[in-house]
Amino acid sequence: MPTNAVVDRLARELAEAASTAIPIPQLTSSQDIDVDEAYAIQRAVVEHRYARGERPAGVKLGFTSAAKMTQMGVSDAIIGRLTDGMQVTDGGVLRLAGFVHPRVEPELAFRLHTPVDPDSPAAEPAAMVDAVAPALEVIDSRYRDFRFSLPDVIADNTSAAAFVVGPWVAWEQCPDLGNLGVRLEIDGALTDTGSTAAILGHPARAVSAALRLARHYRIALPAGSIILAGAATAAHPLRPGTTVDVTVAELGRASLSAKGDSDA
Ligand code: OOG
Ligand code: MG
């Protein structure tokens, strides 16, 4: 069981790797860390962002699809924290300074219109969401070779690095989200396709899962919080100088352009 001092040191190492772009060895290569301890490290990692003035923006789920679980060799859904500093405007530029080996994946975003208090009893998830949008998530493991165990990736804030949310569609106007086609294009070339059904069988389940995990790990979700539901396909390398688009059938599209350190 790592002491508080060890939790702080491991969190600092992860936070540093996220700004120097120098990956670190897996924490579990030298420590015994269980899932609860990993969430304590995650909380401390995100405190580094808050200390720089970033604000909580919501949460993200990981490993909600068979494709991702297989790609990463894990078997459990996980939750991470999003901040406003990670959000890129739709169609905007993401600077890759500080990123180690970023990957991009198509997702759905939900927006909560009711705050979720970790102490209050669970409400009906559908009643808590007021809008849905196509989204892209950029993940970037702070571990060498993008390899980790489950506690490692939880401690690393589930590889959260950046995200884009496309135009919100009001919940009442939403199509059934159960099986919508998802297209990921990089520089206009179709790179991957999938279905929203890949997200826990139906992405609405991601809302329940996020609320359950947020309660369990005591993550407060104020009204307006974003929930990224998890990837609909595997993640793809995000190279500087490229533009990525996601299209979710009947819902819309979202995009970002990645720039390297030296790109204008
Ligand atoms: C962890 C993050 C996974 C998703 O949508 O499944 C994730 C990782 O693969 O590095 O964001
Ligand atoms: Mg993701």
Side-chain angles (χ1 to χ4, degrees):
M1 166 87 196
T3 61
N4 286 349
V6 172
V7 166
D8 288 346
R9 177 172 58 77
L10 299 177
R12 196 168 346 102
E13 287 174 17
L14 282 163
E16 257 170 43
S19 60
T20 59
I22 302 167
I24 61 172
Q26 297 179 37
L27 306 184
T28 54
S29 64
S30 57
Q31 309 269 333
D32 265 340
I33 297 171
D34 67 22
V35 162
D36 287 343
E37 290 155 1
Y39 277 106
I41 299 169
Q42 177 189 120
R43 179 178 290 274
V45 165
V46 180
E47 292 290 342
H48 284 266
R49 287 180 172 269
Y50 299 155
R52 294 200 301 265
E54 296 183 28
R55 305 294 315 142
V59 289
K60 56 157 286 188
L61 288 179
F63 308 143
T64 50
S65 74
K68 286 286 303 192
M69 284 190 202
T70 309
Q71 184 183 26
M72 306 320 299
V74 301
S75 57
D76 256 340
I78 55 178
I79 192 166
R81 288 144 159 107
L82 301 173
T83 69
D84 58 357
M86 299 175 188
Q87 188 163 9
V88 178
T89 326
D90 187 20
V93 169
L94 172 63
R95 297 227 152 251
L96 295 177
F99 286 56
V100 184
H101 32 208
R103 297 179 180 175
V104 64
E105 53 191 22
E107 303 229 359
L108 280 186
F110 292 90
R111 189 176 65 196
L112 290 182
H113 73 102
T114 318
V116 177
D117 174 349
D119 293 320
S120 66
E124 183 52 39
M128 310 186 77
V129 167
D130 71 351
V132 182
L136 287 168
E137 185 184 16
V138 177
I139 53 172
D140 187 29
S141 177
R142 272 56 70 160
Y143 301 113
R144 280 183 206 144
D145 307 320
F146 225 113
R147 292 176 64 84
F148 40 68
S149 66
L150 198 61
D152 286 315
V153 66
I154 291 168
D156 187 20
N157 196 21
T158 67
S159 309
F163 66 98
V164 169
V165 176
W168 290 109
V169 177
W171 182 250
E172 303 74 45
Q173 261 118 58
C174 267
D176 184 327
L177 300 172
N179 186 15
L180 302 176
V182 177
R183 296 164 57 89
L184 183 73
E185 285 166 54
I186 301 185
D187 285 340
L190 186 61
T191 303
D192 210 340
T193 56
S195 159
T196 54
I199 305 168
L200 293 175
H202 192 302
R205 294 203 183 110
V207 178
S208 327
L211 298 184
R212 176 175 51 78
L213 289 165
R215 275 203 175 81
H216 189 80
Y217 294 106
R218 311 204 50 79
I219 305 174
L221 291 171
S225 292
I226 293 166
I227 297 174
L228 287 184
T233 71
H236 295 270
L238 176 62
R239 303 205 164 83
T242 58
T243 295
V244 185
D245 280 272
V246 56
T247 309
V248 180
E250 299 175 55
L251 203 65
R253 54 197 290 144
S255 75
L256 66 79
S257 295
K259 293 251 186 315
D261 283 350
S262 51
D263 297 331

